[in-house]
Every structure is written in C-alpha cells, then in structure tokens.
Amino acid sequence: DFDLMDGGDPTSPPRFACEKCGGEMYPEYYKGVHGQEYKLSDIL
C-alpha cells in the first residue's frame, strides 16, 4: 500500500524522507498494487 500513500509517479518506487537526515529512502524490493516491481538495484 506504500504506492497509494506516496501519491507520486507510479513508474517510480515509493520514496519517503528520513526523519533524521531528510534524505530519500527507497525500498530494496517492493511489488506495487498494480503489479509493478521495484528493485533498489535498478535505481543505483
């Protein structure tokens, strides 16, 4: 359900801001509600 909470572009993985440093956090692996699979290795 993270992609529903993110409200961003469905072609990119859900991202959230770190409460300590403000940097972006990405999931290592996530399968969205629409079947889209995201892998951290695809971003880096």
Side-chain angles (χ1 to χ4, degrees), residues 4-41:
L4 296 175
M5 293 171 33
D6 181 45
D9 182 2
T11 61
S12 65
R15 294 172 291 210
F16 301 92
C18 175
E19 292 179 3
K20 291 186 179 185
C21 72
E24 286 190 321
M25 298 186 297
Y26 300 88
E28 286 187 28
Y29 173 81
Y30 178 71
K31 185 171 183 178
V33 295
H34 302 292
Q36 179 74 29
E37 291 185 353
Y38 308 101
K39 297 177 189 170
L40 184 59
S41 60

